[in-house]
Amino acid sequence: MQENPVCKRLDRFLYSNEWEQVFPQSIQGVLPRWTSDHWPIVLETNPFKWGPTPFRFENMWLQHPSFKESFGRWWREFQGNGWEGHKFMRKLQFVKAKLKEWNKVSFGELSKRKKDILSDLVNFDSLEQEGGLSHELLAQRALRKGELEELILREEIHWRQKARVNGRNRKFIKELENENGLMMNNSESIKEEILRYFKKLYTSPSGEPWRVEGLNWSPISSESAFRLESPFTEEEIFKAIFQMDGDKAPGPDGFTIAVFQDCWEVIKEDLVKVFAEFHRSGIINQSTNASFIVLLPKKSMSRRISDFKPISLITSLYKIIAKVLAGRIRGVLHETIHSTQGAFVQGRQILDAVLIANEIVDDKRKSGEEGVVFKIDFEKAYDHVSWDFLDHVLEMKGFGLRWRKWMRGCLSSVSFAVLVNGNAKGWVKASRGLGQGDPLSPFLFTIVADVLSRMLLKAKERNVLEGFRVGRNRSRVSHLQFADDTIFFSSSREEDMMTLKNVLLVFGHISGLKVNLDKSNIYGINLEHNPLSRLAEMLDCKASGWPILYLAKIERMQRDFLWSGVGEGKRDHLVNWDVVCKPKSRGGLGFGKISIRNVARLGKWLWRYPREGSALWHQVILSIYGSHSNGWDVNNIVRWSHRCPWKAIALVYQEFSKFTRFVVGHGDRIRFWDDLWWGEQPLGVQYPRLLSVVMDKNALISSILGYTRPFSIFAEIFLILR
């Protein structure tokens, strides 16, 4: 700061008449100067007051020197009887009450101290305006600012957590359009409309549950089913807790996972008892499985409740139980989920389906044959899953009675309140659906969605659905799934599309996963617009053109989002993009260049190619392009299309190979001269004169050294040559 500053009013807010009509109660204020020569100004828009907000544990409390000791004392102080899960939740409730009092004493003093420092700084600023500050007062002000910085650093944890919580519900709902088109701006009518919507959404329709017969279910092994139901261990619970993000927004209990991580030694004994009780009974009490539903806007101008995405904030105890169960089921899904599903299955990646889809479409284009790609959108996918149907599918897939009882316990005990502008409203019992935010939900949804795969495979076996024939062996691919997205590959024959539509209607009826045809799209390959439009009309969906997205466009979207946000108009870019992409340690934001990241990801495909020979994506690439006999070199002697992604992957092989080293087994797939397996460079590079007289420059190690010759002899020969 300057010693003799000139005091002028420079900073102002500018607003329009329209803005003032939206925020008529706005007030401008001035904050104390902390580090700058300028007084910060603040604009309070005074949003609706919707009532008290729920208790939330502040992770900054963990930094207090007396916290852990106090927490342990409060935890041991509570004595209660009954179910272990219920006792655990009551202990948390008891600790919550103690925390509120402790916070007033321990952190209330900090708040008062900060307020006193800010008051002193205001006084210093006033004296400076009146006639300047002496050297002694300048030193006092510098000291107080240092103390303030210390407090601000301690508050950083608080604001980081608060950003995670408020980021979940950052858009205030001030008006809402109901299903009749009537606009509501009264707080009570908005709450009633939201609760009515979610009661209807999570209520299962009446009727007998459906069963499906005659499919190849591919059940899990009896060993896996037994392992799933084994007793829970302390190590398993510990691992689950410490895998989770401690800053995540809490549920109705208000406690973050950071508390369980920091106080593991205090709570572990009681937590193990809860798991032992759950293992025996499969029962979860309602207080354990209560949740808040947070409404996230899906677009910038969200007017109807259907324009918001519901996310469940679950209690910390249920989150831990679900995380442990999710870890178990994740380890067996690869046994029962078809290879066309690319998400939430161990050993598979969601981008596998993206690569396969691109290559299949490109191969179809080059063949000149007509075809269509149909991408469907499930209506409220997670929210409409039938619990009875899920239980039936688990039974058919070989999951044991105890595991199915656990799943029913997790689903049937759920109840929820909706957070409307930060305030919890209503408690509703659900009878269908999977909570988005529950660690188990993605895996259970994948199991249900796999039934659609099995139905399509059955139709393909009966030759009522053709799919696309791919590559040299003309293998058929009819569909791909990635999480709750599904795309179908079909001939352009109307009878095939009607068969597909009927399969989807039947699947929706039995599972609850109905297809929203209005939001589904059909794309043509080597097909004129008129026949494509006829198919779209028959399916009640949209005929669309192929989306094209280049890296440069993605990077431009990143830049525009950083400076402008979403739907807020274009703004100037204040910092050079190269600077933004630098690591944080070098003054950037650590975004990294997307082009460099892309090369690294392409190299990852090359790394996976020889290691995942049985994977669907590998089989598709092998069928279309072939491969070197060693099994890991891509075949470059093909007619590349400018669209196919494998071309871009193959082109980084030379750069990628510099960072790979082969471990020699039998030596019948490693090239003696060209592959890096000895020293820091390929032998052909190390000994170019020797390579020049070699007849077979692509010779394999086994053809030169044989299978049994010790490599130590080879090492001695080359030491002599050097």
Side-chain angles (χ1 to χ4, degrees):
M1 289 189 180
Q2 303 171 19
E3 284 197 26
N4 299 300
V6 176
C7 298
K8 294 286 184 181
R9 185 174 182 180
L10 299 175
D11 300 318
R12 290 175 172 83
F13 287 107
L14 299 177
Y15 60 89
S16 64
N17 291 332
E18 291 81 5
W19 190 91
E20 187 177 22
Q21 290 175 8
V22 178
F23 303 104
Q25 306 296 324
S26 301
I27 300 173
Q28 176 182 311
V30 180
L31 299 175
R33 294 185 298 168
W34 294 357
T35 57
S36 171
D37 285 334
H38 290 246
W39 276 273
I41 57 176
V42 62
L43 189 65
E44 172 60 50
T45 57
N46 192 30
F48 288 164
K49 306 300 181 185
W50 291 75
T53 56
F55 164 82
R56 291 190 179 99
F57 183 88
E58 298 283 357
N59 283 352
M60 68 175 181
W61 295 343
L62 299 172
Q63 306 302 313
H64 196 283
S66 71
F67 172 79
K68 192 174 289 188
E69 180 185 346
S70 301
F71 184 92
R73 185 174 66 254
W74 300 329
W75 190 264
R76 291 185 292 272
E77 185 179 335
F78 177 83
Q79 299 295 323
N81 299 313
W83 290 88
E84 293 296 338
H86 186 57
K87 280 198 299 184
F88 195 94
M89 295 301 293
R90 286 173 60 199
K91 273 195 173 187
L92 287 178
Q93 195 172 11
F94 179 80
V95 170
K96 183 194 300 184
K98 295 289 187 180
L99 271 171
K100 290 178 179 178
E101 295 301 319
W102 175 83
N103 177 50
K104 290 177 185 177
V105 175
S106 300
F107 280 83
E109 293 176 355
L110 293 177
S111 300
K112 182 179 182 302
R113 186 179 165 203
K114 181 180 177 182
K115 188 176 180 180
D116 291 343
I117 293 173
L118 291 174
S119 177
D120 289 346
L121 291 176
V122 170
N123 292 333
F124 285 130
D125 289 339
S126 298
L127 290 172
E128 188 174 52
Q129 284 182 286
E130 292 170 4
L133 295 175
S134 65
H135 287 293
E136 183 180 351
L137 290 177
L138 285 171
Q140 288 181 24
R141 183 170 70 175
L143 180 64
R144 295 299 270 169
K145 283 187 175 180
E147 294 172 357
L148 181 62
E149 286 180 11
E150 200 175 300
L151 290 178
I152 292 170
L153 287 173
R154 296 185 69 173
E155 285 184 328
E156 183 181 343
I157 300 170
H158 162 77
W159 290 111
R160 183 174 67 241
Q161 181 187 355
K162 197 174 183 68
R164 298 292 290 272
V165 174
N166 289 345
R168 284 290 194 187
N169 199 24
R170 63 185 179 274
K171 186 176 178 68
F172 276 81
I173 303 174
K174 298 179 181 178
E175 57 181 14
L176 198 66
E177 181 183 326
N178 67 13
E179 59 184 12
N180 298 320
L182 179 66
M183 190 63 70
M184 299 172 293
N185 52 23
N186 174 270
S187 61
E188 287 304 316
S189 59
I190 289 175
K191 294 170 190 172
E192 289 174 7
E193 173 65 16
I194 290 174
L195 284 176
R196 184 200 63 77
Y197 175 87
F198 281 104
K199 284 178 182 177
K200 182 179 178 182
L201 179 65
Y202 292 118
T203 299
S204 178
S206 58
E208 289 295 319
W210 287 80
R211 294 180 65 86
V212 182
E213 304 292 343
L215 298 182
N216 176 14
W217 293 99
S218 185
I220 62 174
S221 66
S222 56
E223 293 81 6
S224 293
F226 178 78
R227 243 186 352 262
L228 283 174
E229 298 177 354
S230 61
F232 301 104
T233 64
E234 182 181 312
E235 292 76 19
E236 189 178 14
I237 302 167
F238 175 88
K239 182 180 178 182
I241 290 175
F242 283 85
Q243 281 177 343
M244 289 189 276
D245 186 345
D247 283 336
K248 285 278 189 179
D253 62 338
F255 284 90
T256 63
I257 293 298
V259 184
F260 293 79
Q261 293 169 343
D262 204 61
C263 301
W264 166 251
E265 293 298 328
V266 177
I267 56 96
K268 68 178 182 181
E269 184 178 340
D270 292 297
L271 198 52
V272 169
K273 289 179 182 178
V274 171
F275 271 86
E277 178 185 81
F278 175 69
H279 186 274
R280 290 191 304 271
S281 69
I283 296 173
I284 294 180
N285 61 69
Q286 191 166 318
S287 62
T288 300
N289 205 1
S291 64
F292 285 153
I293 290 181
V294 175
L295 303 177
L296 299 186
K298 293 189 280 190
K299 47 190 177 182
S300 57
M301 296 297 291
S302 298
R303 299 170 62 88
R304 308 188 68 165
I305 190 63
S306 57
D307 294 333
F308 293 83
K309 182 178 182 180
I311 299 293
S312 298
L313 300 181
I314 55 183
T315 67
S316 50
L317 177 57
Y318 177 73
K319 189 181 293 185
I320 294 167
I321 293 172
K323 182 70 173 178
V324 171
L325 294 172
R328 289 193 172 191
I329 197 170
R330 184 175 182 269
V332 304
L333 281 190
H334 66 279
E335 297 180 26
T336 188
I337 302 299
H338 195 262
S339 59
T340 49
Q341 173 64 265
F344 304 117
V345 180
Q346 202 166 18
R348 303 180 199 171
Q349 299 184 20
I350 198 166
L351 285 179
D352 294 356
V354 177
L355 175 68
I356 296 168
N358 276 274
E359 292 294 341
I360 287 175
V361 168
D362 184 69
D363 189 62
K364 192 72 171 178
R365 277 201 184 104
K366 287 189 293 186
S367 72
E369 300 172 0
E370 292 182 354
V372 293
V373 176
F374 184 33
K375 181 184 179 299
I376 64 168
D377 178 82
F378 285 118
E379 181 182 341
K380 302 291 181 185
Y382 278 42
D383 305 321
H384 283 172
V385 170
S386 164
W387 293 351
D388 288 331
F389 183 72
L390 171 62
D391 182 66
H392 165 59
V393 176
L394 288 172
E395 179 186 3
M396 300 305 289
K397 284 184 170 290
F399 289 85
L401 191 62
R402 186 191 294 267
W403 179 268
R404 289 165 49 213
K405 185 179 180 181
W406 291 349
M407 295 301 102
R408 281 197 299 271
C410 289
L411 295 173
S412 62
S413 59
V414 67
S415 61
F416 60 86
V418 184
L419 284 182
V420 183
N421 297 340
N423 184 230
K425 296 297 174 186
W427 285 99
V428 179
K429 281 289 292 178
S431 56
R432 71 171 177 181
L434 305 172
Q436 298 191 54
D438 184 333
L440 269 171
S441 293
F443 303 103
L444 297 180
F445 181 87
T446 300
I447 288 172
V448 172
D450 188 64
V451 178
L452 178 57
S453 275
R454 304 289 168 178
M455 292 171 69
L456 290 166
L457 292 170
K458 191 71 175 179
K460 194 169 68 172
E461 287 174 13
R462 294 179 175 178
N463 292 317
V464 292
L465 276 180
E466 174 69 17
F468 282 6
R469 292 195 175 272
V470 181
R472 305 170 186 189
N473 59 12
R474 307 300 289 163
S475 57
R476 290 194 294 177
V477 179
S478 60
H479 68 286
L480 291 171
Q481 292 181 307
F482 22 105
D484 56 347
D485 289 322
T486 303
I487 57 175
F488 303 95
F489 306 100
S490 173
S491 71
S492 56
R493 295 181 304 184
E494 291 188 5
E495 54 267 34
D496 280 15
M497 299 310 297
M498 278 306 300
T499 299
L500 179 55
K501 184 177 181 180
N502 290 333
V503 169
L504 291 173
L505 288 173
V506 170
F507 175 71
H509 191 70
I510 63 177
S511 68
L513 295 179
K514 291 181 169 59
V515 175
N516 187 342
L517 291 170
D518 286 339
K519 293 184 179 180
S520 300
N521 296 276
I522 188 170
Y523 306 87
I525 302 174
N526 303 321
L527 194 63
E528 296 295 331
H529 178 72
N530 287 339
L532 182 66
S533 297
R534 282 198 304 271
L535 291 174
E537 186 177 349
M538 186 180 70
L539 293 170
D540 299 318
C541 68
K542 299 174 186 174
S544 304
W546 288 96
I548 300 174
L549 202 60
Y550 298 104
L551 287 180
K553 185 176 180 181
I554 297 173
E555 191 167 280
R556 186 168 66 250
M557 290 166 65
Q558 280 185 310
R559 294 198 302 266
D560 291 344
F561 176 78
L562 176 64
W563 300 115
S564 305
V566 177
E568 299 175 18
K570 188 172 178 60
R571 297 180 186 175
D572 292 335
H573 297 185
L574 304 181
V575 181
N576 184 284
W577 188 246
D578 289 336
V579 176
V580 172
C581 290
K582 286 181 179 179
K584 292 180 182 179
S585 59
R586 295 173 55 194
L589 293 180
F591 280 16
K593 281 281 191 180
I594 194 169
S595 56
I596 297 175
R597 290 182 183 274
N598 186 55
V599 171
R601 290 193 171 99
L602 295 179
K604 187 175 181 180
W605 288 107
L606 294 171
W607 173 254
R608 293 177 61 203
Y609 185 74
R611 302 166 68 88
E612 300 180 13
S614 61
L616 179 61
W617 73 268
H618 180 109
Q619 296 301 315
V620 168
I621 296 301
L622 183 64
S623 177
I624 295 175
Y625 300 113
S627 177
H628 191 279
S629 59
N630 61 22
W632 50 69
D633 279 1
V634 293
N635 186 3
N636 289 303
I637 312 172
V638 293
R639 182 172 60 85
W640 292 114
S641 163
H642 69 283
R643 291 188 183 93
C644 62
W646 194 251
K647 173 185 177 180
I649 294 171
L651 289 177
V652 302
Y653 180 78
Q654 292 304 319
E655 188 66 24
F656 169 79
S657 62
K658 297 176 184 176
F659 302 97
T660 59
R661 179 182 297 275
F662 294 97
V663 177
V664 180
H666 293 298
D668 54 5
R669 294 203 301 162
I670 304 175
R671 290 171 297 188
F672 187 89
W673 298 103
D674 286 347
D675 292 328
L676 181 57
W677 63 279
W678 188 273
E680 299 302 319
Q681 293 177 306
L683 296 178
V685 176
Q686 294 184 52
Y687 305 103
R689 292 175 60 190
L690 193 57
L691 178 63
S692 65
V693 299
V694 172
M695 297 293 291
D696 183 4
K697 293 180 172 54
N698 289 316
L700 302 175
I701 290 178
S702 58
S703 67
I704 296 176
L705 300 180
Y707 290 103
T708 57
R709 188 171 301 180
F711 292 118
S712 58
I713 298 174
F714 169 75
E716 293 173 8
I717 294 171
F718 267 86
L719 285 172
I720 294 170
L721 289 173
R722 286 182 176 179

